[in-house]
Structure formats: structure tokens, C-alpha cells
Amino acid sequence: MINGGGIIMKRIVDYAQLFMRDYLKDGDVAVDFTMGNGDDTVFLAKRTPHGKVYAFDILMQALMNTKAKLEKEEIDNVELILDGHEHVDRYISSFKVGVFNFGYLPRGNKAMTTLLKTSREAVEKALKLLERKGLLILVLYPGHEQGALESRYFSSYIQSLDTYCYECFTFKMENKTDCPYIIGIEKKREK
């Protein structure tokens, strides 16, 4: 968006949704790997009303918050899963678009965060399950301890991905320290 020659800055999750928008078609399968308060889940479900969305979280509060939003919007194409995102392969065999919004539950206990160990495992499995011409979005928050670990790891990890199979990008504010940012991974082809 342009405003008097400048860009109107949005919340980082708005940009994440902007990137996902063009990849989803009605009927696709999408995954919200960190449902939190349900914003990404609702977004994905509205973009593919005849498809299916799977949403993961380990916190019952996240599941309840998301369920309430889905009921309010009268959305019924979502399966809420109270389990860690590292177990994605137990529930689905492939998907077109997926999003990780790492960190902690907004307005929740900041001591309860995603952990690099399970986040790494989940992203590796997600890339195997991602369909060709699909998109995986990672929203990273380097401003807290676990977020800094995840941020350093995934920023390095994407540089190691095979360029024959994947195209990767980073979207972030360069003049702000420890601000949230996005990594996008598009799967071009299988090996």
C-alpha cells in the first residue's frame, strides 16, 4: 500500500497472509502449525471454503480461542488438533499452504513458547509434505530467548535448502532490532 509516496506498515501477520493469499485456491488443504488465537486459521479457512484446514497447538486455551472465532464466523472446514506441530505427519499427507507463527500465545503466558527442537522437526516434516508450487511461511520473533534461537537457526537453514527444489525469501524491517520477520519457502519440485 502506498501512502503519500511511503509504504503503510502492517502487522507482520498481515504480510504473512498477503504472501499466502495467491497460493491458495478453493479446495486446497492448508495448515496452521501454531493456531494461537486463530487469526491465521480463520484466514486460511476463508480462502479455501471447500478445502480443509488443519490447525495445531499444544495449549487448550489456543484451541478454545480459535474454536470461538470459527464459530462466530460460521466456519466448519477446520480440524483443530491439540497436539504439537512436530506430529503433523500423523494427521495429513500433503498440503498447499502452511504457516508457523512462532513464539508464545498473544496475551498468554510468555514463558510458554515454541521450542527450537520441535519447531525444527515440524518444519522439516512440513517441507516433505508441502505440495509442489506450495508455500510455507515462518513468522519469527527474535526478541525473546527461544525466538532468537529459532530465528538464527531458520535464517541459516533456508540457505542450505536445495535451490533446485526450493525458492526462499526473507521479509523484514532492516532498521529495527529484533523485530518479527517472515521467511517464505516455495517448493518448486521434488528431488
Side-chain angles (χ1 to χ4, degrees), residues 30-74:
V31 183
D32 183 351
F33 288 92
T34 50
M35 78 174 87
N37 285 316
D39 294 332
D40 288 328
T41 304
V42 169
F43 168 80
L44 294 169
K46 284 183 173 182
R47 294 296 297 173
T48 179
H50 297 97
K52 182 79 173 184
V53 176
Y54 295 87
F56 292 83
D57 213 298
I58 60 169
L59 299 174
M60 180 56 80
Q61 185 61 52
L63 190 138
M64 298 309 294
N65 294 348
T66 303
K67 184 177 180 185
K69 280 188 179 176
L70 293 170
E71 288 173 352
K72 182 178 179 184
E73 297 280 341
E74 298 181 358

Side-chain angles (χ1 to χ4, degrees), residues 28 69 71 79 86 114 129-130 133 163 175:
D28 284 339
K69 280 188 179 176
E71 288 173 352
E79 183 174 335
E86 70 275 18
T114 54
L129 300 173
L130 184 63
K133 294 191 178 181
T163 58
N175 63 341

Side-chain angles (χ1 to χ4, degrees), residues 1-3 36 45 54 72 79 88 90 112 116 125 133 139 161 168 182 188-189:
M1 297 182 138
I2 303 298
N3 178 18
Y54 295 87
K72 182 178 179 184
E79 183 174 335
V88 62
R90 295 179 184 173
M112 296 281 300
L116 177 56
K125 287 181 179 180
K133 294 191 178 181
V139 182
L161 292 175
C168 305
I182 297 169
K188 297 190 306 185
R189 60 185 64 87

